Amino acid sequence: MSVPGGPDSVRVGTTEREDSMRALGEHFAQGRLPISEYEQRVGAAADAVTRGDLRVLFADLPAPHPPFLVPPTWAAPPPQPLPYYPPANQAFGPPVQYGEMLSDRSKVVAGLLQIFLPFGVGRFYTGNYGIAIAQLVTCGGFGIWCLVDGIVLLVSGGHDGEGRRLRD
């Protein structure tokens, strides 16, 4: 149902009138209205029948305005994820997502260091110092932990100490 004459011809109630008087009080407190003009506008707000009657009271004033006079702001729709197109030369391993940062460290080097030089050398290389120290203290989990960790690094890669994916 449309309103004849537009939104300014809609009748207002006590809440809208009180909101308008409160906003006029803020303008008076900030020194934008002299007391005589403030009293005149508050009287007009109390006698207002439609939104148009209240809108003219704020035509020459900056914000704040009563909430019902402020037009709604529409939020932009959320950004859509970009489609994933795998690189043509990527054969193995998890896909690299668009915009993902890659490490300057290699997963092959890290994996081979873990296998052939146990005690966390590969993890020191990638910057994962917590795991590296744990492997050093436990003698690489008696060699088993370093061997398994090296194979995992070679097959599926991993992340460096800053959370970036290791290069192939």
Side-chain angles (χ1 to χ4, degrees):
M1 178 173 148
S2 64
V3 178
D8 281 347
S9 63
V10 174
R11 294 181 69 92
V12 293
T14 305
T15 304
E16 288 91 355
R17 289 185 196 96
E18 288 174 352
D19 287 344
S20 297
M21 289 182 218
R22 204 172 1 262
L24 288 169
E26 289 180 33
H27 288 292
F28 174 69
Q30 294 175 0
R32 292 190 185 108
L33 297 174
I35 192 160
S36 59
E37 188 176 352
Y38 168 72
E39 290 173 350
Q40 178 187 6
R41 288 188 189 209
V42 168
D47 296 335
V49 177
T50 63
R51 284 188 178 181
D53 296 338
L54 293 174
R55 188 175 306 277
V56 297
L57 300 175
F58 294 93
D60 61 339
L61 295 173
H65 294 139
F68 64 90
L69 288 180
V70 177
T73 56
W74 299 100
Q80 298 298 319
L82 296 172
Y84 169 70
Y85 299 106
N89 62 353
Q90 181 179 347
F92 301 105
V96 176
Q97 297 297 322
Y98 178 78
E100 183 179 20
M101 296 292 296
L102 291 177
S103 174
D104 55 343
R105 308 289 184 178
S106 169
K107 73 177 188 178
V108 174
V109 173
L112 292 176
L113 285 172
Q114 276 296 100
I115 293 171
F116 294 114
L117 296 172
F119 311 113
V121 174
R123 288 301 182 166
F124 277 114
Y125 168 75
T126 62
N128 295 317
Y129 300 114
I131 295 174
I133 291 172
Q135 288 180 355
L136 182 65
V137 169
T138 63
C139 295
F142 300 109
I144 297 171
W145 185 8
C146 284
L147 178 66
V148 171
D149 196 25
I151 293 170
V152 168
L153 283 172
L154 283 173
V155 172
S156 64
H159 293 84
D160 67 3
E162 297 177 14
R164 300 175 299 183
R165 282 228 359 236
L166 297 174
R167 293 189 182 279
D168 290 335

